[in-house]
């Protein structure tokens, strides 16, 4: 059974406060299990931690751009990309396994900016378990 896994890594710069970096991560990926150190934060969890990102991509109307980035960086079953924490902070290194199915859920194909087909997270989980294409 293939699963969906989310991994976030962020270095904490000497000019940053650890709490601010943790907050930036939690604002986009709530519910992650975090390993917090003075100079680095590593976090991971499953598909539920992607719900806020799913909503943000729609609210900010950046589905097409997000889809292009995720598909371009897809290697095997994993896509990886950088997200800015905030203007004054460094980047979040994001890695999501689950293949194109997860990308189709996060950032589906659009026509004039409107998703052609929205996939439910439950449907996505079943497809990943069955190995089906969504």
């Amino acid at each position: 059974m293939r699963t969906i896994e989310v991994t976030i890594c962020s270095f904490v710069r000497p000019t940053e406060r650890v709490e601010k970096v943790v907050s930036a991560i939690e604002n986009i990926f709530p519910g992650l299990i975090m390993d917090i150190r003075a100079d680095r934060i590593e976090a991971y969890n499953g598909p539920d931690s992607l719900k806020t990102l799913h909503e943000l991509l729609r609210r900010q109307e950046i589905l097409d751009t997000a889809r292009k980035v995720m598909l371009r960086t897809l290697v095997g079953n994993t896509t990886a990309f950088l997200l800015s924490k905030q203007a004054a902070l460094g980047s979040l290194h994001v890695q999501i396994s689950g293949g194109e199915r997860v990308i189709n859920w996060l950032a589906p194909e659009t026509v004039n900016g409107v998703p052609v087909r929205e996939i439910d997270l439950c449907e996505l989980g079943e497809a990943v378990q069955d190995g089906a294409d969504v």
Side-chain angles (χ1 to χ4, degrees), residues 57-100:
L57 295 175
R58 284 150 182 75
R59 198 173 328 145
Q60 294 180 7
E61 300 179 353
I62 55 173
L63 289 173
D64 292 330
T65 301
R67 182 175 179 81
K68 286 177 190 171
V69 168
M70 287 187 270
L71 287 173
R72 186 177 65 232
T73 61
L74 184 63
V75 176
N77 197 38
T78 303
T79 186
F81 52 91
L82 298 176
L83 286 178
S84 175
K85 289 184 253 181
Q86 293 176 359
L89 302 175
S91 297
L92 301 177
H93 300 261
V94 179
Q95 185 173 312
I96 304 170
S97 68
E100 200 168 330

Side-chain angles (χ1 to χ4, degrees), residues 5-25:
E5 296 176 358
V6 180
T7 305
I8 311 296
C9 179
S10 179
F11 291 98
V12 179
R13 297 176 179 174
T15 58
E16 297 175 331
R17 289 187 26 222
V18 172
E19 300 81 22
K20 291 261 187 192
V21 177
V22 167
S23 178
I25 294 170

Side-chain angles (χ1 to χ4, degrees), residues 2 77 98-105 119 124 127-128 131-134:
R2 291 183 289 171
N77 197 38
E100 200 168 330
R101 292 165 195 79
V102 176
I103 296 170
N104 288 339
W105 173 69
I119 300 167
L124 175 67
V128 170
D133 286 326
V134 175

Side-chain angles (χ1 to χ4, degrees), residues 19-36:
E19 300 81 22
K20 291 261 187 192
V21 177
V22 167
S23 178
I25 294 170
E26 288 178 336
N27 285 339
I28 302 172
F29 302 98
L32 292 173
I33 298 164
M34 295 195 192
D35 178 11
I36 302 170

